[in-house]
Amino acid sequence: SQNPEADISGNDNINEGVATTYTLDTENFRTGGTIYWRIVDSSNNVANSDFDAATGTAVVTETGTNSFGNRTGETSITITATEDQLTEGTETFTLQLYRDSSYSTVVNTINGSTHSIKSITVNDTSQNPEADISGNDNINEGVATTYTLDTENFRTGGTIYWRIVDSSNNVA
């Protein structure tokens, strides 16, 4: 019997926060066969903080046979890059396919001898954090003064660092 194989098709570029589906065309998998997948960063670490789910499984459904008599089928994987509100710039990850839950036996490409992978570039859709300050422009020594910060694109619990400077931008 021949080893199960799969090809991945779908978008090369995705946006944070948008569910994206990839189709896996398979060969030599039976209906109910499982493909284990994971998404890794450039250091081959599972990208748990960058995706809502960075590992999972896909169950194959046979759709027929090809001209060589091999079973053909398909399944799909849906991923979502985490909309983290962090301005990180564009990042590139790799979707990898395996035949086992320990991620040690790779699924090769159809008619190929290389690991079935898909490079995915995630477009950073977050916006730079902004803050506007309001309060008195003139204060008297020894009198407490309150200023209000109105923010956009900050995470809950985020920290804003501040300092008081004089007209020459020297820390007062």
Side-chain angles (χ1 to χ4, degrees), residues 22-50:
Y22 292 88
T23 299
L24 308 181
D25 292 315
T26 65
E27 192 170 296
N28 300 316
F29 275 93
R30 294 191 181 279
T31 291
T34 301
I35 296 175
Y36 298 84
W37 60 268
R38 68 181 183 178
I39 303 169
V40 297
D41 61 21
S42 60
S43 298
N44 209 39
N45 296 314
V46 176
N48 289 316
S49 64
D50 292 290

Side-chain angles (χ1 to χ4, degrees), residues 77-139:
I77 298 169
T78 300
I79 64 169
T80 304
T82 303
E83 190 172 20
D84 55 14
Q85 297 301 313
L86 298 175
T87 303
E88 306 158 304
T90 300
E91 297 178 283
T92 301
F93 300 91
T94 304
L95 171 61
Q96 302 173 331
L97 304 183
Y98 292 87
R99 294 188 340 210
D100 62 325
S101 61
S102 62
Y103 302 99
S104 60
T105 306
V106 302
V107 172
N108 285 333
T109 57
I110 295 175
N111 299 322
S113 59
T114 59
H115 189 180
S116 188
I117 61 172
K118 175 79 171 167
S119 180
I120 301 169
T121 300
V122 177
N123 300 313
D124 188 356
T125 59
S126 61
Q127 298 177 12
N128 289 326
E130 297 177 12
D132 291 323
I133 188 168
S134 60
N136 291 329
D137 291 338
N138 297 303
I139 60 171

